[in-house]
Amino acid sequence: MAASEASTATSFRHAFGGVLSFFILILIGVLAFSIRLFSVIKYESVIHEFDPYFNYRVTQFLTKNGIYDFWNWFDDRTWYPLGRVIGGTVYPGLTLTAGTLWWILNSLNIPLSVETVCVFTAPIFSAFASWATYLLTKEVKGAGAGLTAAVLLAMVPSYISRSVAGSYDNEAVAIFALIFTFFLYIKTLNTGSLFYATLNALSYFYMVCSWGGYTFIINLIPMHALLCIVTGRYSSRLYIAYAPLVVLGTLLAALVPVVGFNAVMTSEHFASFLVFIIIHVVALVYYIKGILSPKMFKVAVTLVLSAGLIVCFAVVAILVALVASSPTKGWSGRSLSLLDPTYASKYIPIIASVSEHQPPTWPSYFMDINVLAFLVPAGIIACFLPLSDASSFVVLYIVTSVYFSGVMVRLMLVLAPAACIMSGIALSEAFDTLTRSIKFQLPGNSGGNSEANAGDASSASAGALNDVIKADKAEETAKERPSRKSKKKEREPVEKPQRNPRNERKLLVLPFEASIVGIILLVMLGAFYVVHCVWAAAEAYSAPSIVLTSHSHDGLHVFDDFREAYAWLSHNTEVDDKVASWWDYGYQTTAMANRTVIVDNNTWNNTHIATVGTAMSSPEKAAWEIFNSLDVKYVLVVFGGLVGYPSDDINKFLWMVRIGGGVFPHIKEPDYLRDGQYRIDSQATSTMLNCLMYKLSYYRFVETDGKAFDRVRRTEIGKKNFKLTHFEEVFTTHHWMVRIYKLKPPKNRLRGKAKKSKSKTSSASSSKRSGKRTRNPWQ
Amino acid sequence: MARSLILVALISLLPFLSASSPSLESPKGRRVLVLLDDLAIKSSHSLYFGSLQSRGYDLDFKLADDPKIGLQRYGQYLYDGLILFCPATERFGGSLDQAAILDFVDSGHDLIIAADANASDLIREVATECGVDFDEDPVAMVIDHIGYAVSDTEGDHTLIAADDFIDCSVILGNKKIEAPVLFQGIGHSLNPSNHLVLKVLAASPSAYSANPKSKLSNPPSLTGSAISLVSVMQARNNARVLITGSLSIFSNRLFRSSVQKAGSSTRHEKAGNEQFLTEISKWIFHERGHLKAVNVKHNKVGEADEPAIYRINDDLEYSIEIYEWSGGSWEPYVSDDVQVQFYMMSPYVLKTLSTDKKGVYSTSFKVPDVYGVFQFKVEYQRLGYSSLSLSKQIPVRPFRHNEYERFIPAAYPYYGAAFSMMAGFFLFTFVHLYNK
């Protein structure tokens, strides 16, 4: 009777806990969604930055033309004249997701525009991602840790920076897919269910559709499987979790056009196949061991080993020969620069030139994951108490992602979920211990009762039965190795009593005051994190980068120059005109101005980009010839010298020189540097002062303040008064941030030998556009 | 509605018409402004003016310093051609200046410039802008002690009988010019790298340019057949300019004069001037050698409509109609050297078009196995003809996903492997499950 009462109380408590967690999760979703709306509130509902504009354009095409046309889309408005096969070179996951959302909403008679759907895709998926984090952490350490991790992830600044409303990029859905795939892998590992294994493969397929970062999954999971095998944790659950993923996952991945045969051909996927072979060998060994007597087994082992080694050597030799025949050892450039952080800067300037491919600085860790950086070590320790298959996985996840984030600042995004999971585990364990200590010492609570409470409290957070089984199994595997068993026993006093009712050891109890102080400190830490996250979301990561604002003593200034320039292009140029600019602005030009561009942010053709870089680094006439051969009509440059916008073309110019010089050796970087220094003042080299980029950026700049002071470089420019012979300025935006030039047509007449004074020539040509030129002070 | 339709039709026709300036559609009644130093020239050169007027030109004679001269009014050009018979003018009257003349040419109008000894800087500079350099020495004239015209008085051999014509029937007409052309004036030179100007009448190898009245102290800067007596320039927009260093070459006196070249026994009753200048003025005013290309069409073989995009390895047909203005009507242009390029940074296909002699040129070829944005390019530049430069952009896409071959013979072993594997697995499962 008492027992049944207690069980109904427990089940009631469970039900209550379940409902509470459900509402907490809903609130977490709302939090994750709403904290990302600062950009819409502070600015407007627009697509941000560069790549999102391409994704937006692709989504528009998808919603207009349907999936088959999208799949076969050959885009002739970019990479002129090569064109780009969009369907075969794009990760379609994001586009298909947003397209499906739009289609569902429209068929429900909710007439949202495609743009609106695109803007809000990322916040929606960040809510999904926090729920997936909950599920994953719950599998590892129980529901309490799951909820904590979900809250942390909902507002981790690193993830916010990539998923604010309007940031319509692959990462927006890919992080969700990544976490969800990991969850399903852990779930399969814990349950050994083939159903979850299949789901896992499907989720992996979604991830492959969404982001090139899927290679992280297909390397991390084999690493974990290998770790389990090596540490003697092989089980049929591991086999079910791993083998179907590789087979189904690879088949499905090969269906994505952009991956195709890469799924079996490139070195990124090699690890999964190697581990696939190993796991089968191990499975076979276990099977044979089960059916043979120990003596027979020994004989069989020697036989198989000797034969197997020969075969292995042969296979390895062939593989090594195959891989070594490729110059990059079968790796793609981006992967190689991950393995060897100096690779890109040495060989592929186009990868190294992207700011998000640079290694992060220490402050950026604090900025992006804040207090989590300090909680992670505690979480790792908690994962070792005890080490299960699942917790070893998250440990592996955090270790690898810390390394990757140290190579590329962009991959901080992969670290963020791992850090959240670890910190969630750490915080949850800490709260567990502290609250239990308090409860234990509260007056009026008998020890036994509080122990039961503590057990309940922890089991409410730990997914009850599952974990018990898991812990048992962990113990069983541990028993097989006597050396590990002793270590295990040392830990048991700390960990086991909560989980295992059979072990009635004393719980770790802290002094009452220390617990109170600890809780207060932890809450303050959490509060600090929340404050920081809200600040980061509101101030640091919400700027859409096509509209800029600046605060000064006389109020808020809005710089809407980019859209002004693109609108000018779309209204004042012919539909088939080609616009040349550095590749950063390619996506925006095609999406916003609807004009053909030469190069864009999909940097697939290095030679083409180098051609544009060479043109920008050449003197005017050579540049004109290059552009003319590409049928370019307009050249667009971004110039920040007037308002102090630092990421303008002059600051990017050295990369243009490097990338151009990489293909066309007559462009030499030292020609643009004075004593190794990049400068545009009077000390600059004549090559620098005569190159097209300098001229297009600083043409007529002296008219603004009379002495041509560049606010970004904080210096007066070197050459102030000059004229353009092959280009003419057609548009400069309000704050001079975008300047558009038109290529002059070839001369209608060719002059005879120019022996007369030049003044007559200029007067002859100036009459055609006297309106603009008369303002020039030097005329 | 109808009006807007016409407008749309006109706009859509514009690309085809752009090669030929619109005024060419009705060359009759073309208005030509003639600027003179002295109205006496109107009568002393009346034969030449008469030949123009008889061909329907409406000549408007004005003194070069007339304050009411203006080439355009309200942004519209009042004239279609300009004849500058005013070598001594330093300044034009009215709004006309050097820049206005060059703008006139740059907007597709024709120009005839006659300089003379002591030509003004203004005229020289206009000529230089057109690619012709007169001898810098202001008093120099072309002298030829071997190729001079025999006259009653043994003069200073500045009256030259030149017969070194350009070999181009488009410019000079089909009828051979028998008699030498009498020339008296200054010579000019052309930059050999300038492909827009043509030497129509060159001096003989024995000619040189110097001051006939003074003794030659240092070697003349211009000698031999490098000296051009009459040159034409066809600008990139097909505006045509005639430049000569002699005003008297147009005069009635030389038109009527008989000519005998020194060292030659034949004496022609009439100098070649009239025929030469009449023919060349027909060319200058686009009565000859003006091409237009219309009806550029391309389609897949077996289809009539023009597609928006081709697929790699499509077979396509391309056709274009080229006509030449014959002075009164557009006649089919017949030639066997018109080529079309299928161009993406370099020509992937270069084919000579075959003609049906009625103006239609056509060919067919296979789209190369390369996708990208191609252009149909016709770049037709022949001596004397106006240049045709047409390009039409057309993208070429790769195969769609369902346009590949579905079953490849080479892959049958793999199909076999896959299906035998499936069958084997099924058998194995069956045996494994029910063999107990």
Side-chain angles (χ1 to χ4, degrees):
Chain A
M1 185 67 194
S4 71
E5 219 167 64
S7 72
T8 47
T10 322
S11 64
F12 177 74
R13 200 193 295 268
H14 279 182
F16 182 70
V19 171
L20 196 62
S21 328
F22 178 74
F23 279 108
I24 291 175
L25 280 176
I26 288 183
L27 285 176
I28 289 173
V30 171
L31 169 69
F33 183 81
S34 50
I35 200 172
R36 287 165 169 83
L37 300 185
F38 276 110
S39 57
V40 174
I41 294 161
K42 291 185 69 177
Y43 297 89
E44 55 188 299
S45 176
V46 284
I47 310 277
H48 289 197
E49 300 202 327
F50 305 106
D51 287 23
Y53 270 96
F54 170 74
N55 296 324
Y56 169 49
R57 182 165 164 255
V58 174
T59 314
Q60 275 183 317
F61 186 89
L62 172 72
T63 51
K64 213 177 284 170
N65 298 33
I67 187 157
Y68 282 104
D69 278 346
F70 165 56
W71 183 2
N72 292 302
W73 187 16
F74 173 71
D75 186 7
D76 57 345
R77 300 193 70 76
T78 174
W79 289 96
Y80 180 86
L82 306 168
R84 175 182 171 196
V85 186
I86 300 268
T89 57
V90 80
Y91 286 101
L94 174 75
T95 315
L96 292 178
T97 307
T100 316
L101 271 180
W102 179 84
W103 180 80
I104 290 172
L105 288 172
N106 267 267
S107 44
L108 291 176
N109 287 330
I110 305 175
L112 287 181
S113 69
V114 179
E115 190 183 3
T116 315
V117 174
C118 292
V119 165
F120 292 104
T121 299
I124 290 171
F125 270 78
S126 55
F128 292 169
S130 39
W131 293 334
T133 311
Y134 164 76
L135 293 172
L136 172 58
T137 321
K138 188 179 156 201
E139 283 302 310
V140 178
K141 276 288 174 188
L147 287 173
T148 323
V151 171
L152 293 176
L153 185 101
M155 49 190 181
V156 62
S158 170
Y159 187 31
I160 286 180
S161 74
R162 289 313 187 114
S163 62
V164 292
S167 177
Y168 178 57
D169 209 348
N170 288 337
E171 289 93 331
V173 299
I175 293 301
F176 158 70
L178 180 84
I179 301 171
F180 197 62
T181 311
F182 286 157
F183 156 67
L184 286 169
Y185 173 69
I186 298 292
K187 185 83 183 170
T188 325
L189 201 57
N190 284 342
T191 59
S193 149
L194 204 53
F195 170 69
Y196 283 115
T198 319
L199 282 189
N200 188 20
L202 288 176
S203 168
Y204 171 68
F205 174 58
Y206 184 65
M207 177 69 189
V208 177
C209 282
S210 305
W211 196 31
Y214 76 91
T215 48
F216 182 61
I217 295 181
I218 205 63
N219 282 301
L220 185 65
I221 289 180
M223 274 165 76
H224 179 249
L226 196 65
L227 183 79
C228 287
I229 292 169
V230 170
T231 54
R233 288 170 166 274
Y234 171 79
S235 63
S236 57
R237 288 172 292 114
L238 179 69
Y239 183 85
I240 289 171
Y242 185 71
L245 173 68
V246 172
V247 176
L248 287 178
T250 305
L251 281 176
L252 289 169
L255 293 181
V256 181
V258 63
V259 178
F261 280 108
N262 285 348
V264 286
M265 304 271 280
T266 59
S267 294
E268 280 93 342
H269 306 79
F270 178 67
S272 63
F273 300 122
L274 189 70
V275 174
F276 187 68
I277 295 169
I278 291 173
I279 204 170
H280 276 94
V281 172
V282 171
L284 189 69
V285 168
Y286 271 81
Y287 177 70
I288 291 170
K289 208 176 179 180
I291 58 170
L292 289 182
S293 62
K295 204 177 177 187
M296 283 290 283
F297 182 68
K298 249 180 196 170
V299 177
V301 163
T302 39
L303 264 178
V304 169
L305 266 190
S306 47
L309 273 182
I310 296 168
V311 176
C312 268
F313 274 120
V315 171
V316 166
I318 292 171
L319 272 177
V320 166
L322 275 180
V323 169
S325 65
S326 144
T328 57
K329 309 279 178 282
W331 295 83
S332 73
R334 260 162 236 232
S335 315
L336 260 189
S337 56
L338 275 182
L339 298 178
D340 173 8
T342 59
Y343 178 82
S345 54
K346 269 189 282 188
Y347 301 108
I348 321 174
I350 206 151
I351 289 181
S353 74
V354 182
S355 64
E356 61 183 24
H357 291 167
Q358 307 291 335
T361 52
W362 286 115
S364 70
Y365 275 96
F366 188 72
M367 175 73 194
D368 275 359
I369 56 175
N370 201 245
V371 302
L372 307 186
F374 310 116
L375 291 172
V376 164
I380 295 177
I381 293 171
C383 281
F384 278 99
L385 303 172
L387 191 68
S388 64
D389 288 349
S391 64
S392 69
F393 178 77
V394 286
V395 171
L396 202 61
Y397 177 24
I398 185 100
V399 169
T400 46
S401 62
V402 163
Y403 169 73
F404 288 139
S405 72
V407 176
M408 273 190 196
V409 67
R410 179 154 90 129
L411 295 179
M412 196 78 94
L413 190 60
V414 177
L415 169 67
C420 288
I421 292 164
M422 282 301 177
S423 311
I425 291 171
L427 277 179
S428 156
E429 294 284 326
F431 274 118
D432 237 13
T433 313
L434 295 173
T435 48
R436 193 178 56 230
S437 308
I438 292 170
K439 212 182 256 179
F440 201 70
Q441 293 168 51
L442 271 183
N445 254 349
S446 72
N449 200 1
S450 75
E451 196 175 330
N453 279 349
D456 281 348
S458 65
S459 69
S461 60
L465 198 59
N466 241 344
D467 281 29
V468 174
I469 293 167
K470 186 173 56 184
D472 285 350
K473 280 184 179 161
E475 204 182 25
E476 275 163 24
T477 46
K479 268 175 191 161
E480 287 169 15
R481 304 215 163 185
S483 63
R484 294 173 52 80
K485 200 184 172 187
S486 60
K487 279 186 191 170
K488 204 90 195 174
K489 276 207 166 149
E490 287 169 17
R491 286 179 205 146
E492 271 168 3
V494 189
E495 185 67 19
K496 280 296 157 194
Q498 307 171 36
R499 314 253 156 183
N500 204 334
R502 287 175 299 177
N503 284 335
E504 298 204 354
R505 305 278 170 97
K506 201 173 181 308
L507 286 160
L508 176 69
V509 178
L510 293 170
F512 184 72
E513 294 77 10
S515 310
I516 298 277
V517 170
I519 285 184
I520 291 173
L521 283 179
L522 281 182
V523 168
M524 280 172 65
L525 193 69
F528 177 68
Y529 175 72
V530 171
V531 169
H532 173 80
C533 290
V534 172
W535 172 83
E539 302 294 330
Y541 290 138
S542 284
S545 98
I546 55 158
V547 189
L548 305 165
T549 55
S550 85
H551 295 275
S552 69
H553 56 90
D554 53 342
L556 180 77
H557 291 273
V558 178
F559 303 110
D560 203 359
D561 286 34
F562 286 105
R563 287 192 292 185
E564 187 187 349
Y566 294 133
W568 187 89
L569 274 178
S570 69
H571 285 110
N572 294 285
T573 58
E574 297 285 324
V575 151
D576 276 334
D577 282 349
K578 282 88 193 167
V579 181
S581 64
W582 190 234
W583 58 262
D584 295 24
Y585 314 105
Y587 277 165
Q588 291 185 347
T589 310
T590 33
M592 284 201 261
N594 191 21
R595 291 294 171 268
T596 309
V597 295
I598 305 299
V599 292
D600 68 23
N601 310 43
N602 174 267
T603 51
W604 66 275
N605 189 323
N606 190 34
T607 314
H608 222 51
I609 291 181
T611 309
V612 174
T614 305
M616 294 296 191
S617 338
S618 302
E620 228 182 301
K621 186 165 194 293
W624 185 89
E625 275 159 14
I626 293 173
F627 280 141
N628 194 46
S629 72
L630 289 169
D631 298 332
V632 170
K633 274 269 184 62
Y634 296 92
V635 181
L636 177 150
V637 294
V638 172
F639 171 63
L642 186 72
V643 289
Y645 170 64
S647 45
D648 65 351
D649 278 346
I650 289 285
N651 273 2
K652 291 171 185 169
F653 180 61
L654 267 195
W655 287 110
M656 303 183 202
V657 173
R658 271 175 213 156
I659 293 169
V663 177
F664 302 100
H666 69 276
I667 302 288
K668 296 185 194 71
E669 190 179 336
D671 292 350
Y672 298 83
L673 302 174
R674 174 74 72 196
D675 305 326
Q677 268 190 310
Y678 178 62
R679 52 201 312 170
I680 43 99
D681 55 9
S682 49
Q683 297 293 306
T685 60
S686 67
T687 322
M688 178 70 213
L689 294 181
N690 284 310
C691 71
L692 185 72
M693 181 47 77
Y694 179 90
K695 286 192 163 183
L696 297 192
S697 289
Y698 292 117
Y699 178 61
R700 295 202 303 119
F701 184 48
V702 72
E703 290 170 39
T704 54
D705 59 355
K707 56 186 205 296
F709 183 79
D710 185 320
R711 292 208 200 167
V712 176
R713 268 65 59 177
R714 304 199 166 280
T715 174
E716 276 186 35
I717 62 172
K719 195 163 140 189
K720 295 174 185 172
N721 299 322
F722 55 86
K723 279 181 272 184
L724 298 175
T725 52
H726 292 76
F727 294 83
E728 62 180 310
E729 183 188 2
V730 287
F731 187 68
T732 294
T733 54
H734 186 67
H735 301 98
W736 285 50
M737 278 170 58
V738 184
R739 314 196 64 187
I740 300 171
Y741 292 84
K742 189 179 186 178
L743 269 76
K744 284 186 189 167
K747 278 201 178 119
N748 190 34
R749 298 162 280 108
L750 292 176
R751 238 182 93 84
K753 287 170 203 141
K755 53 200 169 186
K756 294 279 176 176
S757 61
K758 275 184 177 172
S759 61
K760 290 198 174 178
T761 349
S762 69
S763 70
S765 54
S766 71
S767 66
K768 273 177 265 176
R769 47 202 166 82
S770 49
K772 186 162 284 168
R773 296 283 292 268
T774 44
R775 280 189 285 140
N776 295 6
W778 64 82
Q779 280 208 333
Chain B
M1 186 63 200
R3 176 173 293 179
S4 69
L5 267 182
I6 291 168
L7 199 69
V8 167
L10 278 178
I11 289 167
S12 59
L13 277 175
L14 268 179
F16 306 111
L17 296 176
S18 57
S20 56
S21 50
S23 60
L24 284 167
E25 297 303 311
S26 53
K28 298 286 178 204
R30 289 182 61 180
R31 302 150 302 170
V32 178
L33 175 66
V34 185
L35 294 184
L36 308 169
D37 276 337
D38 180 355
L39 282 178
I41 295 174
K42 188 177 172 184
S43 52
S44 66
H45 292 58
S46 59
L47 281 177
Y48 181 67
F49 294 135
S51 84
L52 287 178
Q53 276 161 333
S54 69
R55 296 210 310 276
Y57 291 96
D58 180 12
L59 302 185
D60 187 0
F61 296 94
K62 287 235 168 82
L63 277 175
D65 51 1
D66 186 335
K68 289 205 284 291
I69 307 177
L71 282 176
Q72 48 180 332
R73 186 186 294 158
Y74 312 129
Q76 296 277 325
Y77 278 104
L78 300 171
Y79 303 99
D80 307 300
L82 177 63
I83 297 178
L84 294 180
F85 279 181
C86 50
T89 305
E90 292 288 354
R91 263 187 74 92
F92 294 114
S95 63
L96 196 63
D97 59 0
Q98 182 196 340
I101 291 175
L102 294 171
D103 277 351
F104 183 71
V105 173
D106 287 343
S107 49
H109 300 97
D110 307 320
L111 174 66
I112 294 176
I113 304 173
D116 217 335
N118 296 317
S120 67
D121 279 349
L122 178 66
I123 298 296
R124 284 168 179 272
E125 190 55 35
V126 171
T128 307
E129 285 293 336
C130 294
V132 164
D133 295 305
F134 283 114
D135 192 344
E136 282 181 66
D137 187 355
V139 288
M141 291 183 86
V142 185
I143 303 169
D144 193 340
H145 293 302
I146 295 172
Y148 60 91
V150 176
S151 59
D152 304 337
T153 56
E154 183 70 11
D156 48 11
H157 295 167
T158 56
L159 185 64
I160 299 169
D163 52 5
D164 189 2
F165 302 110
I166 190 172
D167 181 21
C168 176
S169 63
V170 186
I171 297 177
L172 294 182
N174 291 322
K175 196 162 160 249
K176 193 173 180 304
I177 301 172
E178 300 289 344
V181 169
L182 287 169
F183 179 91
Q184 188 170 31
I186 55 177
H188 58 261
S189 63
L190 310 178
N191 187 350
S193 65
N194 186 343
H195 58 276
L196 297 177
V197 286
L198 292 173
K199 211 181 279 179
V200 179
L201 182 62
S204 74
S206 56
Y208 65 97
S209 173
N211 183 357
K213 297 201 171 64
S214 68
K215 209 162 168 253
L216 206 55
S217 51
N218 38 5
S221 54
L222 288 178
T223 53
S225 45
I227 301 175
S228 174
L229 304 175
V230 179
S231 298
V232 294
M233 193 273 286
Q234 178 167 277
R236 288 210 169 88
N237 64 355
N238 290 329
R240 289 171 177 172
V241 178
L242 173 73
I243 298 165
T244 176
S246 166
L247 179 56
S248 56
I249 192 173
F250 298 96
S251 65
N252 295 352
R253 182 170 66 83
L254 294 187
F255 267 42
R256 290 194 185 117
S257 157
S258 64
V259 60
Q260 181 180 9
K261 193 175 177 180
S264 159
S265 55
T266 48
R267 182 172 186 86
H268 299 276
E269 274 310 302
K270 221 174 141 209
N273 290 33
E274 180 164 16
Q275 188 191 354
F276 174 71
L277 290 170
T278 308
E279 291 297 332
I280 206 166
S281 69
K282 281 183 185 165
W283 184 82
I284 287 290
F285 289 124
H286 291 269
E287 286 174 49
R288 203 164 45 219
H290 191 98
L291 302 178
K292 74 165 180 183
V294 292
N295 282 341
V296 182
K297 277 191 281 201
H298 58 88
N299 53 270
K300 273 189 214 169
V301 170
E303 291 178 19
D305 292 336
E306 186 171 297
I309 190 166
Y310 283 108
R311 198 196 66 193
I312 55 172
N313 295 331
D314 268 349
D315 289 299
L316 65 84
E317 286 169 340
Y318 177 86
S319 73
I320 184 173
E321 288 173 34
I322 302 178
Y323 297 99
E324 183 187 0
W325 180 252
S326 68
S329 63
W330 289 103
E331 300 293 332
Y333 175 70
V334 180
S335 171
D336 59 356
D337 56 358
V338 185
Q339 292 182 317
V340 65
Q341 305 172 28
F342 201 55
Y343 182 94
M344 180 177 76
M345 295 205 279
S346 60
Y348 278 74
V349 174
L350 178 61
K351 282 212 102 176
T352 305
L353 296 166
S354 55
T355 175
D356 66 348
K357 314 269 183 197
K358 288 176 190 138
V360 182
Y361 289 79
S362 60
T363 188
S364 65
F365 56 88
K366 193 187 251 313
V367 175
D369 198 0
V370 178
Y371 57 80
V373 183
F374 281 82
Q375 286 171 324
F376 290 107
K377 265 195 175 188
V378 174
E379 295 282 344
Y380 191 68
Q381 274 142 7
R382 289 295 176 273
L383 182 65
Y385 286 104
S386 59
S387 58
L388 285 181
S389 176
L390 305 163
S391 68
K392 195 167 193 182
Q393 181 177 315
I394 185 86
V396 173
R397 63 170 174 83
F399 287 114
R400 285 174 67 91
H401 68 278
N402 54 1
E403 284 174 338
Y404 290 98
E405 225 175 326
R406 187 133 295 187
F407 295 105
I408 312 166
Y412 276 103
Y414 298 97
Y415 305 146
F419 283 104
S420 64
M421 180 75 193
M422 278 144 82
F425 182 72
F426 180 74
L427 277 179
F428 171 78
T429 322
F430 196 78
V431 169
H432 187 76
L433 285 179
Y434 295 102
N435 199 23
K436 279 179 186 168

